[in-house]
Amino acid sequence: DRIGRTTVLAAVGTIGMLVTLGFLLFAGRGAGAVMLYGVAFGSCMMPLYALCLALANDRMKDGDFIETGSMLIMVHALGMIGGPLLAGLLLTGRDPVVMLWCFAAGFGVLVPLAAMVGRQQGASTAFGLVPRTVPEALIMDPRAELVPEQPPAETPLTAAPAAIAPAQT
């Protein structure tokens, strides 16, 4: 949270594009190069969904988090279904290296998009933790102010009916 999400998205896009272009130079170098590329590629691809979700949640109103997350899951699922189908159609009869060029182009498109969103977003406020929990949890927080202990109020679930006295043991 100390670095802006758009900055991180642009960095991931740049690294992913450079890794993919670098792999194109070493495409015929054997299984070790493929495994190394797979690790580097996955390291760039895996955080993209979480970064995009966090960026979308930063821009939403307080009550829209569930709707935003649901929409992004649906878009992600449609992309996971449609992407391979479209790639299969576009790559039929072509050299498999074309797929790597598509990956590099996708990462390359991410960089200016992140910069554009960052300019539109402007300065954001710092993240502040606002706990929503029971008061007893605040006692464990070392930053919490100590307040005099008060006896818990009886609720209808814990209060004994007037006609029944607690058992004496």
Side-chain angles (χ1 to χ4, degrees), residues 42-98:
S43 298
C44 292
M45 284 298 288
M46 293 304 287
L48 286 180
Y49 175 77
L51 285 168
C52 291
L53 179 62
L55 181 63
N57 282 336
D58 286 347
R59 300 172 67 102
M60 292 298 120
K61 292 181 244 167
D62 286 342
D64 293 341
F65 293 120
I66 293 175
E67 290 85 4
T68 302
S70 300
M71 181 193 63
L72 280 176
I73 288 173
M74 182 62 71
V75 169
H76 186 76
L78 291 173
M80 290 181 68
I81 293 168
L85 294 174
L86 182 62
L89 289 172
L90 292 175
L91 294 175
T92 301
R94 292 182 175 80
D95 189 11
V97 174
V98 172

Side-chain angles (χ1 to χ4, degrees), residues 152-166:
E154 289 191 340
T155 63
L157 296 176
T158 59
I164 302 174

Side-chain angles (χ1 to χ4, degrees), residues 3-167:
I3 300 172
R5 297 187 202 316
T6 55
T7 305
V8 175
L9 274 172
V12 167
T14 302
I15 292 168
M17 183 177 62
L18 293 174
V19 163
T20 303
L21 292 174
F23 181 69
L24 283 168
L25 296 174
F26 304 106
R29 302 289 172 135
V34 172
M35 287 189 285
L36 185 62
Y37 171 70
V39 168
F41 180 78
S43 298
C44 292
M45 284 298 288
M46 293 304 287
L48 286 180
Y49 175 77
L51 285 168
C52 291
L53 179 62
L55 181 63
N57 282 336
D58 286 347
R59 300 172 67 102
M60 292 298 120
K61 292 181 244 167
D62 286 342
D64 293 341
F65 293 120
I66 293 175
E67 290 85 4
T68 302
S70 300
M71 181 193 63
L72 280 176
I73 288 173
M74 182 62 71
V75 169
H76 186 76
L78 291 173
M80 290 181 68
I81 293 168
L85 294 174
L86 182 62
L89 289 172
L90 292 175
L91 294 175
T92 301
R94 292 182 175 80
D95 189 11
V97 174
V98 172
M99 184 174 66
L100 294 173
W101 285 106
C102 290
F103 289 157
F107 279 123
V109 167
L110 181 62
V111 176
L113 282 177
M116 189 171 61
V117 169
R119 263 189 243 119
Q120 289 175 351
Q121 189 173 10
S124 62
T125 59
F127 174 75
L129 178 64
V130 181
R132 289 188 179 183
T133 184
V134 294
E136 286 79 13
L138 293 175
I139 296 169
M140 297 183 286
D141 188 354
R143 299 168 293 174
E145 294 179 23
L146 296 176
V147 293
E149 192 170 315
Q150 298 174 358
E154 289 191 340
T155 63
L157 296 176
T158 59
I164 302 174

